[in-house]
Amino acid sequence: MEQNTVKVIADLHIHSRYSMATSKLGTPEYLDLWARKKGITLIGTGDFTHPAWREELKEKLIPAEEGLYRLKDEYVLEEARNLPGQAPRFVVTGEISSIYKKNGKCRKVHNVLLLPGLEAADQMAESLEKIGNIHSDGRPILGLDCHDLLEMLLENCPRGMLVPAHIWTPHFALFGAFSGFDTMEECFEDLTPYVHAVETGLSSDPLMNWRLSALDGLQLISNSDAHSPSKLGREANLLDIDLSYEGLHGAIQYGKGLEGTLEFFPEEGKYHYDGHRKCHICLSPEEAEKYHGKCPVCGKKLTIGVDHRIMELADRDAGFVKENARPFESIVPLPEVISACVGKSPATKTVTGEYEKMLQKFGPEFAILRKVPIADIERENGTRIASGIQRLRDGKVICTPGFDGEYGKIRLFEE
């Protein structure tokens, strides 16, 4: 019998308040609220390895479809009850930071694990606790080879999934310029065939990743890596799947129902260009090579950005479009769009008030950014905001690239 599929926006890599440098609002209640505001159907729990977070998830979530959960009714915030749409679903996820020596070099690689339930999370956490401390940080740092982490996952939970996280980030990623690898095979060895997807990260988009033929057989997915609920959906996945862990497994591992992704403009990412933040130096790959990778102000090593690292490993020209590639849309969070249009910070009452007004009138943020007719927005919110959203949909933005840990800037209008 054919299964009924549903259109799903999924953000699978996030963090709770138990991870370092995260918001205190990283609770199931606020994740549920902000997923509703954004229009996210499926959200990762993040941080499954942390014992206190796992206990909180068991207390506040209830099983929904196979392998998925929803927030218990008594924990749903009053504000969330007033928003349209069904309750978001949670899938058990977590990120592991592996720091270890391999082939004579120190490697620092982050991987996201997705699991079919909280029982599997208990089992996996028990195995990881034998390796190192999983109590102090929701994203534990373990001296565990990525190959051995994948092997442990396959032994404990054959239906589990491992996805290398933000694969181009300079300091903590599979292909990171400072502590990664040049090939998947060097990292995962004989288990490489069990890695089916990679997360492209905020500083790259699919167009950049298509330049590597080595990634052709892998699914390119995008997630927010949000450290606070309001940052959910900075990047996300567009799925048409049976709403279940099995449906998600088919999309992530084999591309069944993976329709595309929602992307940051990669220039806005913190590591898009090369640079040295202390000296306020931001350079394109070509400019950086003129200085032989050294800061022209202080002479120290530049942080090699994602654009440069992709150029180093690419075997295709910039602009190459892969045949039958899945589409992607570049977006800017709605509060930032409103901010650009009204000339006030996203955190001001003016912007937050306009944001909430738009949600009440038109529904979730993604619908407003992508689908609500511009004429309707103009009628309710004025020409300037309508024009800003139209410019975003048309890709008519002005980009100042991020570098060395500093976010880039996306402008919708000339200043």
Side-chain angles (χ1 to χ4, degrees), residues 13 64 70 98 111 132 141 146 149 166 192 244 259 270 297 299 307 315 341 349:
H13 178 185
R70 65 172 176 82
S98 287
N111 292 291
I141 299 171
C146 293
L149 173 63
H166 42 71
T192 302
S244 64
E259 295 200 318
K270 289 196 289 187
V297 174
D307 200 31
D315 56 353
C341 295
K349 284 185 178 177

Side-chain angles (χ1 to χ4, degrees), residues 20 38 50 59 76 109 162 191 197 199 237 252 261 339 347 352 390 405:
M20 297 286 282
K38 300 281 182 177
H50 198 282
E59 175 197 337
V76 176
V109 180
L162 181 148
L191 297 183
E199 181 185 77
N237 304 285
I252 302 302
T261 52
S339 167
T352 55
Q390 185 64 64

Side-chain angles (χ1 to χ4, degrees), residues 138-156:
R139 182 184 61 204
I141 299 171
L142 301 174
L144 184 60
D145 189 305
C146 293
H147 170 279
D148 299 342
L149 173 63
L150 179 52
E151 186 173 54
M152 185 183 293
L153 176 67
L154 294 170
E155 286 173 357
N156 279 280

Side-chain angles (χ1 to χ4, degrees), residues 32-296:
D32 171 88
L33 170 65
W34 277 95
R36 292 175 192 247
K37 285 187 174 188
K38 300 281 182 177
I40 295 169
T41 317
L42 182 57
I43 177 176
T45 61
D47 300 354
F48 80 78
T49 51
H50 198 282
W53 181 237
R54 225 163 44 252
E55 288 309 306
E56 188 170 348
L57 294 173
K58 289 174 186 174
E59 175 197 337
K60 294 180 177 178
L61 300 185
I62 188 170
E65 297 80 9
E66 175 262 327
L68 306 181
Y69 300 83
R70 65 172 176 82
L71 191 63
K72 289 179 179 174
D73 291 340
E74 60 264 36
Y75 290 107
V76 176
L77 297 172
E78 192 60 39
E79 185 182 353
R81 293 180 198 278
N82 295 326
L83 294 169
Q86 67 166 4
R89 287 349 191 214
F90 289 83
V91 60
V92 178
T93 64
E95 185 180 22
I96 309 294
S97 176
S98 287
I99 301 182
Y100 60 104
K101 273 243 171 104
K102 186 161 191 165
N103 300 337
K105 284 178 65 177
C106 178
R107 313 292 182 164
K108 300 178 182 180
V109 180
H110 288 182
N111 292 291
V112 176
L113 304 185
L114 297 92
L115 301 175
L118 288 165
E119 300 81 7
D122 286 335
Q123 192 174 337
M124 193 67 194
E126 188 179 332
S127 293
L128 290 168
E129 192 163 17
K130 295 170 185 170
I131 306 296
N133 181 4
I134 62 171
H135 293 257
S136 61
D137 192 351
R139 182 184 61 204
I141 299 171
L142 301 174
L144 184 60
D145 189 305
C146 293
H147 170 279
D148 299 342
L149 173 63
L150 179 52
E151 186 173 54
M152 185 183 293
L153 176 67
L154 294 170
E155 286 173 357
N156 279 280
C157 183
R159 298 302 290 165
M161 297 180 267
L162 181 148
V163 178
H166 42 71
I167 56 170
W168 297 104
T169 302
H171 302 289
F172 296 99
L174 174 64
F175 293 135
F178 290 140
S179 57
F181 299 88
D182 288 349
T183 67
M184 297 278 292
E185 289 75 15
E186 189 186 359
C187 181
F188 291 104
E189 302 170 39
D190 58 310
L191 297 183
T192 302
Y194 292 93
V195 179
H196 296 275
V198 293
E199 181 185 77
T200 57
L202 301 182
S203 295
S204 84
D205 62 15
L207 183 63
M208 296 166 69
N209 285 266
W210 295 335
R211 295 186 63 189
L212 272 79
S213 61
L215 300 181
D216 283 356
L218 299 169
Q219 311 309 321
L220 301 180
I221 69 168
S222 296
N223 302 295
S224 68
D225 195 0
H227 285 215
S228 67
S230 65
K231 298 294 186 188
L232 289 178
R234 292 188 295 185
E235 295 201 326
N237 304 285
L238 302 171
L239 311 177
D240 186 3
I241 59 170
D242 170 51
L243 189 58
S244 64
Y245 182 81
E246 200 59 32
L248 179 65
H249 186 276
I252 302 302
Q253 299 290 76
Y254 307 111
K256 296 176 183 173
L258 175 57
E259 295 200 318
T261 52
L262 300 175
E263 302 281 337
F264 233 43
F265 284 92
E267 293 87 352
E268 195 176 0
K270 289 196 289 187
Y271 295 102
H272 185 70
Y273 261 9
D274 302 1
H276 191 206
R277 187 165 39 157
K278 283 186 179 173
C279 295
H280 308 290
I281 292 296
C282 173
L283 301 169
S284 70
E286 294 77 16
E287 291 168 333
E289 290 196 345
K290 287 179 192 171
Y291 294 108
H292 307 291
K294 299 284 178 66
C295 174

